[in-house]
Amino acid sequence: MTESYDLIVIGSGPAGYVAAERAGEAGRRVLLVEREPVLGGVCLNWGCIPTKTLLNCAKIFHYAGHGQAFGVSATPQFDFAAAQARKQKVVGQLNVGVAGLMKRAKVTVVTGQAQLVDATTVAVGDQRYSAAHILVCSGSRPSRPPIPGLDLAHVVDSTGILALERLPQSLVVIGGGVIGLEFAHFFASVGVAVTVVEMLDQIAGATDLDCARTLRQALEQHGITIHTQARVTAITAEHVAFTDRKGQDQQAAADCVLVATGRTPNVEGLGLEQVGVALERGRIVIDERCRTNVPSIWAAGDCTGKALLAHVASRQAEVVVAAMAGGPDRMRYHAVPAVIYTTPEVACVGLSEAEAKAQGRAVLTAKLPMSVSGRFLAEHDDRGLVKVVVDAQTRALIGVHMVGATCSEMIFGAAAMIESQARVDEIKQTIFPHPTVSEVIREAMFALR
């Protein structure tokens, strides 16, 4: 017998559980299918939340041992087991929270592997479920590059490294993107010798060049060895072999190796091809309302490959639920904030200077050190900067890029300014609280050239 619902959601990550909650609260009958025994997806269980918990533990440890400039002297010890226990406590509490949200929204939750039977039917084991709408939120997994030695026991991905029971003596991180840099910073902060090997000419991916340079200087000052324009050739039991930017063969000792070379959308085993859902380079193709080419099937989150960020996934889910009801909501990607949770933090939204110029846009830019903020100077010894990018013709803010403590908590304001197409004069006329670090954004408006 087939059970009938208004909406079937496949996957309970930041896209899936948000869509289920919003639809359930709107009075729809919703089924949420999750293959793992816990809700929340990668973000909650093996990504955003556990990594930020560990990074904060490391930050407290670092501050405790480097407080002399602030009149504090201490000799702290880092308890990795205790940090891991805190991580599990935080994750567990949020697991319960998501389950509570589903119960409150009257969402039916089923554990198992979902398989599309047709455009309105999903099978989970021997049971079949039907709905007018199906939302695929199947997420992503760590990519596996073709490197000899990748299957050695001491080689882990971003999921496996969270399960370590002891700190390694040395860690080589393959990949200098967000995930690799955050783990590099954590382990370096607690005394592990860390080397990062990145094949591009800068770390932090497409981050604004000025911010990437500032971050690299800070991380190297923190003790992390960074090789850019370097290509890994092999992994052995003792080291990682790579060619450096000059084409010379190098080796880095590796008690543990983290492969952090990006993520791959999960699109296999769902029956997408059988029901005719269009895929492009392993990603589900969607329109601005997150609808696939099959009218009853929608997709949100990492499986779409649009922007592999939890907050993008959640916003896509909200757009889907609104669109199912005939609402005008649509996705816009021009003001998506992104954060790297190292110390210092990096937070960016909108276009970088290079991206804007590549589009043929004339721009005005301004770059100020974070130390122009009295609050920043009083509380932090870290380096930092703010860089703003403004369209020279319209004088609208189109990009904000920051390095420094608390950046992650300020970037939403810049996103709101870009989303609302705020002009320079409007931002100048906005009153910012003093003393706050956020004032640097307003000060940058007066420094535009």
Side-chain angles (χ1 to χ4, degrees):
M1 181 177 177
T2 301
E3 295 183 24
S4 181
Y5 291 85
D6 297 316
L7 169 64
I8 297 173
V9 181
I10 299 174
S12 71
Y17 80 76
V18 169
E21 179 190 9
R22 298 287 189 268
E25 288 180 338
R28 297 178 188 177
R29 192 161 186 251
V30 181
L31 173 70
L32 176 63
V33 184
E34 172 54 58
R35 66 181 180 180
E36 300 291 342
V38 290
L39 300 178
V42 169
C43 176
L44 194 162
N45 294 284
W46 308 283
C48 314
I49 302 303
T51 56
K52 300 329 166 262
T53 304
L54 290 177
L55 281 165
N56 191 58
C57 292
K59 184 186 295 185
I60 293 172
F61 172 71
H62 180 77
Y63 284 164
H66 297 79
Q68 295 88 344
F70 300 92
V72 179
S73 296
T75 306
Q77 292 183 331
F78 187 77
D79 188 333
F80 185 54
Q84 289 281 51
R86 177 170 177 78
K87 176 200 74 178
Q88 288 307 116
K89 178 183 177 181
V90 170
V91 169
Q93 184 172 336
L94 291 174
N95 286 144
V96 172
V98 172
L101 289 175
M102 297 303 96
K103 184 176 181 180
R104 187 179 67 188
K106 298 181 181 179
V107 174
T108 301
V109 178
V110 171
T111 302
Q113 176 64 51
Q115 175 85 24
L116 290 166
V117 177
D118 55 43
T120 58
T121 308
V122 171
V124 183
D126 296 330
Q127 180 62 51
R128 293 194 174 194
Y129 306 91
S130 66
H133 301 282
I134 297 172
L135 173 58
V136 181
C137 307
S138 51
S140 65
R141 63 188 183 277
S143 298
R144 285 180 58 84
I147 300 174
L150 202 67
D151 294 322
L152 291 172
H154 69 305
V155 180
V156 295
D157 57 22
S158 57
T159 300
I161 200 165
L162 288 168
L164 293 181
E165 295 181 355
R166 64 173 184 84
L167 290 172
Q169 295 294 313
S170 57
L171 171 69
V172 172
V173 179
I174 302 175
V178 176
I179 295 172
L181 294 179
E182 288 184 355
F183 277 114
H185 178 73
F186 167 74
F187 284 99
S189 295
V190 297
V192 176
V194 177
T195 300
V196 174
V197 182
E198 167 58 51
M199 67 181 296
L200 299 178
D201 58 0
Q202 72 169 51
I203 60 169
T207 301
D208 183 88
L209 181 58
D210 288 315
C211 290
R213 285 171 175 166
T214 301
L215 177 62
R216 178 171 184 166
Q217 291 168 0
L219 294 179
E220 289 179 332
Q221 201 169 47
H222 201 67
I224 299 173
T225 301
I226 299 175
H227 298 275
T228 50
Q229 294 180 286
R231 184 177 296 274
V232 174
T233 55
I235 302 171
T236 72
E238 294 81 25
H239 63 259
V240 171
F242 62 95
T243 55
D244 64 17
R245 60 189 304 170
K246 297 179 180 178
Q248 297 179 339
D249 293 334
Q250 302 285 351
Q251 292 182 352
D255 185 33
C256 180
V257 178
L258 168 63
V259 180
T261 53
R263 298 187 65 83
T264 301
N266 292 324
V267 295
E268 302 86 355
L270 295 170
L272 294 168
E273 296 90 345
Q274 291 89 320
V275 299
V277 174
L279 301 176
E280 186 177 272
R281 297 193 301 274
R283 306 164 181 173
I284 301 176
V285 178
I286 57 172
D287 62 17
E288 63 181 5
R289 295 189 177 185
C290 303
R291 199 170 209 151
T292 72
N293 62 305
V294 179
S296 60
I297 300 178
W298 311 70
D302 286 8
C303 63
T304 69
K306 287 290 187 179
L308 277 60
L309 297 166
H311 42 284
V312 170
S314 296
R315 178 66 187 131
Q316 288 176 326
E318 293 171 342
V319 167
V320 168
V321 173
M324 286 177 182
D329 207 357
R330 61 185 178 84
M331 276 303 298
R332 300 178 296 279
Y333 298 98
H334 69 286
V336 174
V339 179
I340 305 175
Y341 294 88
T342 47
T343 300
E345 294 179 345
V346 177
C348 307
V349 64
L351 295 175
S352 68
E353 180 180 2
E355 288 169 337
K357 288 180 177 178
Q359 293 181 6
R361 301 174 74 160
V363 296
L364 303 173
T365 65
K367 183 172 64 174
L368 294 177
M370 280 287 186
S371 56
V372 301
S373 161
R375 174 77 179 274
F376 185 88
L377 197 59
E379 295 184 356
H380 304 286
D381 270 350
D382 298 325
R383 67 182 69 233
L385 67 86
V386 60
K387 181 177 181 179
V388 297
V389 184
V390 169
D391 186 288
Q393 182 176 0
T394 65
R395 292 188 63 81
L397 182 67
I398 58 174
V400 176
H401 310 270
M402 296 186 287
V403 181
T406 73
C407 285
S408 61
E409 297 294 342
M410 293 189 288
I411 200 64
F412 82 95
M417 293 175 194
I418 294 173
E419 184 67 45
S420 62
Q421 299 180 329
R423 268 52 176 178
V424 172
D425 288 343
E426 293 170 332
I427 300 170
K428 285 181 177 180
Q429 293 164 14
T430 301
I431 299 174
F432 284 57
H434 176 79
T436 62
V437 182
S438 65
E439 291 176 283
V440 298
I441 298 175
R442 183 173 181 269
E443 290 299 321
M445 296 299 109
F446 289 92
L448 284 166
R449 296 291 184 270

